């Protein structure tokens, strides 16, 4: 979703780019098409394992997070895990692990864990966020995206089109802005 698959200009018409531009913020997207959260035997990229890597497609050293500190991190993962045989327990454990890695990399950032737009692994995502909150991380929040996308805002049954990414940006930008002040 975040990479902008099926949009007119890929990342430049995806909600991450649109929000960064709208908020006047420096921004980057580390999304890759087909990425999933959980590492499975199918050799597809797992963001829980690859988040810290300089290049997720090759054996490389870890990224030097001291060179860039984000104020906000948006996570939208789970859509591609469904077809990979990932269990609820695996997903929740991997999401919790990713939240810890993001927090370690960006100690002061707000972390926004989005409900996937197709409603996949919602209880597991909420549980991982709640565990982080219970563990003392007050700068993480679950974002309910129920009803954010209409049928004409999808290019297929999964990927938002340009209009859909605009709709996501319209809803998510104020949420991020409110937390950042």
């Amino acid at each position: 979703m975040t990479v902008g698959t099926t949009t007119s200009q890929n990342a430049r018409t995806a909600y991450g780019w649109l929000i960064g531009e709208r908020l006047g913020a420096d921004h980057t997207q580390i999304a890759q098409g087909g990425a999933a959260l959980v590492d499975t035997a199918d050799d597809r990229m797992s963001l829980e394992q690859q988040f810290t890597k300089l290049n997720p497609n090759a054996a490389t050293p870890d990224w030097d997070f001291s060179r860039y500190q984000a104020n906000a991190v948006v996570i939208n993962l789970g859509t591609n895990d469904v077809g990979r045989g990932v269990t609820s327990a695996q997903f929740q454990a991997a999401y919790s692990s990713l939240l810890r890695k993001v927090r370690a990399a960006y100690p002061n950032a707000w972390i926004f864990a989005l409900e996937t737009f197709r409603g996949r692994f919602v209880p597991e995502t909420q549980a991982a966020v709640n565990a982080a909150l219970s563990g003392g991380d007050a700068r993480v929040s679950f974002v309910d995206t129920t009803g954010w996308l209409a049928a004409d805002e999808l290019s297929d049954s999964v990927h938002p089109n340009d209009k859909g990414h605009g709709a996501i940006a319209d809803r998510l930008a104020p949420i991020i802005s409110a937390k950042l002040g």
Side-chain angles (χ1 to χ4, degrees), residues 147-154 164 167:
W148 280 23
L149 292 171
D152 70 336
E153 295 172 334
L154 298 170

Side-chain angles (χ1 to χ4, degrees), residues 114-128:
L114 270 60
E115 171 185 0
T116 60
F117 301 116
R118 297 216 37 199
R120 295 178 171 170
F121 291 109
V122 176
E124 296 80 5
T125 303
Q126 287 177 308

Side-chain angles (χ1 to χ4, degrees), residues 3-125:
V3 102
T5 300
T6 76
T7 65
S8 64
Q9 296 180 38
N10 292 323
R12 292 194 60 179
T13 45
Y15 70 88
W17 180 276
L18 298 173
I19 291 169
E21 292 295 298
R22 189 173 296 177
L23 298 179
D26 292 336
H27 53 90
T28 189
Q29 290 151 256
I30 64 164
Q32 290 198 8
L37 173 66
V38 179
D39 193 24
T40 60
D42 65 3
D43 292 328
R44 291 178 69 196
M45 185 179 67
S46 153
L47 282 180
E48 189 273 325
Q49 294 294 320
Q50 297 296 327
F51 169 71
T52 61
K53 299 298 177 192
L54 184 60
N55 178 350
N57 297 314
T60 60
D62 284 348
W63 179 257
D64 180 2
F65 289 101
S66 69
R67 296 181 60 200
Y68 172 82
Q69 280 294 296
N71 294 320
V73 176
V74 176
I75 303 170
N76 180 9
L77 287 167
T79 299
N80 294 320
D81 290 274
V82 169
R84 299 175 77 194
V86 174
T87 68
S88 292
Q90 287 173 310
F91 187 86
Q92 185 175 329
Y95 211 106
S96 290
S97 174
L98 180 61
L99 289 175
R100 287 189 299 274
K101 288 177 181 182
V102 171
R103 178 54 64 223
Y106 304 119
N108 300 310
W110 273 98
I111 302 171
F112 300 92
L114 270 60
E115 171 185 0
T116 60
F117 301 116
R118 297 216 37 199
R120 295 178 171 170
F121 291 109
V122 176
E124 296 80 5
T125 303

